Amino acid sequence: MSLINHYCITGKNYSFLHDLNIQIIISGAKFKDMSKFPDDWFNDSLGKNISHKNKNFGTLSSHFWLWNNEFNNLKDDDWIGINHYRRFWVNEKTNNVNTNNLKANIQRTIPSGDFDVLLPEKIYLKNLKFSKLIKKGFKNYIRNPLILLNRKKYSIRLHFDLFHAYGILEKSANFLDNEDRQDFKDYINQQNSFHQFEMFISQKKYIELLYKKTFSWIFRCEKEFTNVNLEGYGRERLFNFLAERFFSFYFEKYTKTKTWPHIFLD
């Protein structure tokens, strides 16, 4: 039975994280007072890093650090689990998890089955509130009035246009390599669900390719979008939001996926 090498990305020092028996990565460490964090937590501003980009890259600065520093200590077939400070992978039949019993309920081993990656349940965009579309989607329903009548038209692209930046996700697809460009365009325009949060449990060999593709693309987007306004909640971490959609696309295209439960801690 294969063990999972768990990592948790956090920007704050929460006391319940200290005793989980998983590796903690401090996100955006370059801008943090490190005297307020334990010495044995990983620091994403050490080694090869992009911690200085954290404001607009969000958790991507920790993913980059993991790839370029910690992966040297892992084998290709090692299983890696990515958690966030409020979201953790838990055992399949777990109920009523809180900070007091979280340690005992974290999924520590790979379950049986034919899959390459465990992912969270998808978010289904057809459940988007109609009022949100009316309030924020003027450009979208002028472009395609059918979205007002058919919820199946609520695509990943539409969702991004409404909550982050109009036209940016579609434009970003142009900067992908040839092997993914059209497939990603089809994915964001035709699919109305995706796996959120950049959370996954998979083997190093699959994650390494994910990171290679993601960062090659995201750095191109960064150069192309220098004039894009990145102020405000939905825009400040723009490159993180772009990557979130690509992570879901990548695993669906290149791997056998299986959904698995995770817990959200308020």
Side-chain angles (χ1 to χ4, degrees):
M1 187 174 292
S2 299
L3 296 176
I4 301 170
N5 297 282
H6 275 292
Y7 296 86
C8 175
I9 299 173
T10 184
K12 298 181 180 180
N13 180 4
Y14 293 101
S15 58
F16 75 90
L17 296 175
H18 293 204
D19 191 38
L20 295 182
N21 194 27
I22 64 177
Q23 301 285 4
I24 309 295
I25 306 175
I26 306 167
S27 185
K30 181 176 176 62
F31 305 103
K32 302 288 194 305
D33 179 355
M34 296 310 297
S35 67
K36 296 181 179 180
F37 293 86
D39 293 336
D40 60 347
W41 286 11
F42 289 132
N43 176 333
D44 80 355
S45 68
L46 299 178
K48 186 174 182 179
N49 73 87
I50 56 169
S51 189
H52 61 287
K53 297 179 184 287
N54 180 262
K55 180 180 179 181
N56 300 133
F57 276 57
T59 59
L60 283 180
S61 65
S62 294
H63 284 282
F64 184 90
W65 183 91
L66 180 66
W67 174 37
N68 285 278
N69 298 277
E70 184 66 6
F71 268 31
N72 296 330
N73 302 318
L74 299 169
K75 299 176 182 178
D76 283 349
D77 60 354
D78 281 347
W79 288 86
I80 298 167
I82 301 297
N83 305 264
H84 297 292
Y85 70 96
R86 291 194 297 174
R87 298 183 186 274
F88 293 85
W89 295 106
V90 293
N91 300 322
E92 189 172 25
K93 297 181 179 180
T94 296
N95 292 306
N96 301 317
V97 179
N98 55 53
T99 57
N100 294 320
N101 62 15
L102 176 61
K103 181 178 181 179
N105 286 291
I106 290 176
Q107 180 69 28
R108 304 283 181 179
T109 59
I110 296 300
S112 60
D114 182 21
F115 61 88
D116 302 314
V117 60
L118 298 177
L119 295 171
E121 291 282 354
K122 286 184 171 184
I123 177 176
Y124 286 88
L125 306 177
K126 64 182 180 181
N127 297 322
L128 176 70
K129 290 183 178 179
F130 187 73
S131 59
K132 291 286 187 182
L133 178 60
I134 295 299
K135 181 179 180 180
K136 298 184 177 183
F138 177 76
K139 292 181 181 179
N140 296 92
Y141 53 76
I142 290 298
R143 173 180 174 174
N144 182 9
L146 288 178
I147 63 176
L148 294 173
L149 305 173
N150 188 351
R151 285 183 174 269
K152 291 182 179 180
K153 299 291 184 180
Y154 289 11
S155 65
I156 295 171
R157 177 187 58 76
L158 171 63
H159 184 264
F160 197 93
D161 286 350
L162 296 180
F163 289 93
H164 301 295
Y166 180 83
I168 292 297
L169 180 60
E170 189 170 38
K171 185 176 181 181
S172 74
N174 294 321
F175 310 130
L176 283 164
D177 292 335
N178 290 337
E179 62 185 357
D180 291 321
R181 186 179 302 132
Q182 189 57 50
D183 288 342
F184 187 63
K185 287 183 179 181
D186 292 343
Y187 183 77
I188 63 175
N189 282 291
Q190 298 174 11
Q191 297 298 314
N192 61 10
S193 64
F194 68 99
H195 301 280
Q196 292 180 289
F197 313 128
E198 297 172 7
M199 289 181 66
F200 50 81
I201 297 174
S202 190
Q203 290 176 299
K204 173 188 169 182
K205 59 187 176 184
Y206 297 115
I207 303 171
E208 196 150 38
L209 179 59
L210 166 68
Y211 286 162
K212 181 178 180 180
K213 287 177 173 290
T214 298
F215 286 105
S216 174
W217 170 59
I218 285 296
F219 290 147
R220 290 179 201 147
C221 291
E222 183 184 28
K223 291 179 180 179
E224 295 291 337
F225 296 150
T226 53
N227 294 325
V228 174
N229 176 16
L230 298 181
E231 297 299 322
Y233 176 78
R235 287 173 171 260
E236 185 173 78
R237 293 180 288 122
L238 178 68
F239 302 109
N240 196 67
F241 296 130
L242 289 172
E244 183 180 29
R245 276 72 180 171
F246 185 77
F247 276 29
S248 181
F249 160 79
Y250 168 85
F251 284 121
E252 290 194 62
K253 177 178 178 177
Y254 289 102
T255 69
K256 298 176 184 178
T257 68
K258 178 182 177 71
T259 58
W260 197 259
H262 75 280
I263 188 68
F264 174 74
L265 300 173
D266 289 326

